[in-house]
Amino acid sequence: MFINETHLPQVLTPQDYTSEEQYRRELDRLFLPGWHCIATSSDFPQDGDYITTELFDHPLILWRSDDEYHAFLNVCPHRFSRLQGKSCGHAGERLQCQYHGWEFDCTGNTQKIPDAQSFKPMAKGALGLTKYRTETCGQLIFITLNDEAPSLKEYLGVGFEIGENLCAADRRLATTLDYVIDTNWKCKCENSVESYHVDMVHPATFRKSPDANECKHELEPGWTTYATVQAPPTAWHRLLDRIVNRLTHSERDDEYKHYHFYPHIMFGKMKLFSWMEMMIPLSPGRTRVIGKFFCYGGRSGRLVSRLLTRGLAKWETGFFETLRDEDCTVLEEVYRGLSAPNQPSEGLVSIREERCFHFQKYIERVTSPETVNSEGVAMAANS
């Protein structure tokens, strides 16, 4: 059952989703001080591998060296070229700038300058890379751009242990979905935390909203959860479910559970699958969504387990790609509606959407013009 007994007001106005001023407040108070998952350990098969990405207009390079993960601004301090332009590659024992060949170690210190005598009298170590903090949670690799941010464990609070369990080393990364959608980041969050839209939007995936007596919400100061039971819909699905559970030697688990840790990190699980999803605002009306989806890892050395794992990964990939496509279409229409010059009402939130109300109250509190900037860091920590 749900916690509230009556409908609730829409807290945020359309301008809170569409205005540049609100977007800048959210960047300053929620995102720039926080932690963000940009990779998993599976992205670095060998020591020396790297990936490049961009986070809030910061070009980044993440490099595995001596079995640790190091993040740097992907800009050479010599003449400001990006160190690497490829999305991924192998750097070996040192990062090297693609322009003039300067080399850097895992601390960011300069180790080699071609024709170094031409830079005299530059002091040794005068120019180095800008380094950022990284921490891991299970297979997930997080980065913060803020030197004063709390530890990742403090930031996620109870979500840290949940992330470690759902994204543990015994899970196989089935797929990564990294895409941009033309909507506000809060629209994507709100879509993920309510089940009212399921019947209309997800006929090919979730199919039907569960009855109210099959749903359970938790509403905490910095996070919320939703849980229900997902029984196989047909006799064929029930048979297939029994076969898969027997082959994986796993206990039957029909619980679907979704976690939202404010402002933008989500975890979820269903049967043999688990995932992390994160929303990164690019502008008031554009959002980057990063999803890491895991499945049963199989028993090492068993052919049946390996084949089963591949099948599960393929099925999970198809399921979440379809889910993404279903959501993207309607969420872009939601943002078009929010951007209209006139609105038919102030909006309304059902008890099935009470997690949206809880999230909106959090946004209102943290981004209020009267709220000091430092509060955003404290309130983003979900302890």
Side-chain angles (χ1 to χ4, degrees), residues 297-322:
R299 291 193 174 184
S300 178
R302 294 189 63 202
L303 178 61
V304 172
S305 292
R306 291 199 301 271
L307 293 175
L308 178 61
T309 301
R310 291 176 187 173
L312 289 173
K314 185 176 181 179
W315 185 91
E316 184 179 18
T317 299
F319 178 89
F320 281 102
E321 285 178 344
T322 302

Side-chain angles (χ1 to χ4, degrees), residues 51-101:
I51 67 166
T52 63
T53 189
E54 192 166 290
L55 187 64
F56 306 117
D57 297 326
H58 292 67
L60 302 175
I61 184 164
L62 186 62
W63 176 38
R64 175 183 165 187
S65 179
D66 294 330
D67 289 325
E68 294 184 356
Y69 303 101
H70 307 274
F72 302 96
L73 188 70
N74 188 18
V75 177
C76 181
H78 167 219
R79 293 276 300 285
F80 315 120
S81 167
R82 287 202 301 172
L83 297 170
Q84 295 293 334
K86 297 178 181 178
S87 60
C88 61
H90 184 78
E93 296 181 354
R94 293 179 182 175
L95 289 178
Q96 184 180 54
C97 178
Q98 63 182 334
Y99 192 12
H100 294 101

Side-chain angles (χ1 to χ4, degrees), residues 6-35:
T6 62
H7 66 71
L8 300 158
Q10 169 80 14
V11 176
L12 301 180
T13 68
Q15 289 72 33
D16 290 324
Y17 297 85
T18 60
S19 79
E20 184 72 21
E21 182 182 1
Q22 175 70 9
Y23 167 67
R24 291 296 169 186
R25 276 199 297 266
E26 291 169 353
L27 285 185
D28 290 342
R29 301 186 187 185
L30 299 178
F31 291 97
L32 292 177
W35 286 89

Side-chain angles (χ1 to χ4, degrees), residues 61-343:
I61 184 164
L62 186 62
W63 176 38
R64 175 183 165 187
S65 179
D66 294 330
D67 289 325
E68 294 184 356
Y69 303 101
H70 307 274
F72 302 96
L73 188 70
N74 188 18
V75 177
C76 181
H78 167 219
R79 293 276 300 285
F80 315 120
S81 167
R82 287 202 301 172
L83 297 170
Q84 295 293 334
K86 297 178 181 178
S87 60
C88 61
H90 184 78
E93 296 181 354
R94 293 179 182 175
L95 289 178
Q96 184 180 54
C97 178
Q98 63 182 334
Y99 192 12
H100 294 101
W102 282 37
E103 295 181 6
F104 306 89
D105 64 16
C106 62
T107 68
N109 288 329
T110 307
Q111 292 299 306
K112 180 180 178 181
I113 299 176
D115 193 20
Q117 63 271 18
S118 68
F119 288 91
K120 291 180 179 180
M122 186 177 74
K124 185 177 181 180
L127 294 179
L129 299 178
T130 299
K131 188 168 186 176
Y132 299 107
R133 292 162 57 196
T134 61
E135 293 188 30
T136 59
C137 176
Q139 295 187 50
L140 306 175
I141 303 170
F142 285 78
I143 182 175
T144 181
L145 302 177
N146 180 15
D147 290 338
E148 298 180 358
S151 69
L152 178 62
K153 191 170 185 178
E154 291 175 292
Y155 181 79
L156 286 176
V158 297
F160 186 83
E161 183 176 357
I162 291 166
E164 282 201 318
N165 290 334
L166 296 182
C167 308
D170 62 350
R171 300 270 178 158
R172 170 179 168 174
L173 181 67
T175 191
T176 295
L177 298 183
D178 190 338
Y179 59 97
V180 174
I181 179 173
D182 291 331
T183 196
N184 184 266
W185 72 278
K186 298 186 294 297
C187 294
K188 179 65 176 73
C189 286
E190 291 173 0
N191 173 77
S192 297
V193 302
E194 57 97 342
S195 58
Y196 185 46
H197 71 283
V198 168
D199 291 5
M200 286 294 295
V201 179
H202 298 302
T205 48
F206 289 125
R207 300 190 176 189
K208 185 179 183 298
S209 298
D211 293 333
N213 58 7
E214 296 176 340
C215 302
K216 181 181 179 182
H217 285 166
E218 295 176 89
L219 306 177
E220 300 294 338
W223 52 278
T224 66
T225 71
Y226 163 71
T228 189
V229 173
Q230 285 189 317
T234 66
W236 162 247
H237 285 93
R238 288 192 290 273
L239 175 61
L240 184 62
D241 197 46
R242 287 196 295 270
I243 293 172
V244 170
N245 278 275
R246 181 172 298 178
L247 289 174
T248 59
H249 301 275
S250 62
E251 296 182 6
R252 187 187 181 104
D253 182 6
D254 288 335
E255 183 188 53
Y256 170 94
K257 192 159 188 179
H258 182 271
Y259 305 82
H260 181 193
F261 294 95
Y262 295 166
H264 67 318
I265 296 172
M266 300 183 175
F267 296 108
K269 75 174 196 70
M270 52 186 290
K271 296 186 182 294
L272 299 172
F273 308 114
S274 59
W275 64 92
M276 183 286 309
E277 190 175 41
M278 181 182 69
M279 276 53 80
I280 297 291
L282 303 177
S283 72
R286 282 176 68 79
T287 301
R288 180 184 178 189
V289 183
I290 301 175
K292 302 289 185 179
F293 300 90
F294 300 87
C295 67
Y296 170 73
R299 291 193 174 184
S300 178
R302 294 189 63 202
L303 178 61
V304 172
S305 292
R306 291 199 301 271
L307 293 175
L308 178 61
T309 301
R310 291 176 187 173
L312 289 173
K314 185 176 181 179
W315 185 91
E316 184 179 18
T317 299
F319 178 89
F320 281 102
E321 285 178 344
T322 302
L323 191 70
R324 172 201 61 196
D325 295 343
E326 291 172 336
D327 279 333
C328 282
T329 300
V330 72
L331 285 175
E332 291 182 350
E333 294 300 326
V334 170
Y335 192 73
R336 291 189 182 99
L338 286 166
S339 302
N342 297 308
Q343 299 296 331

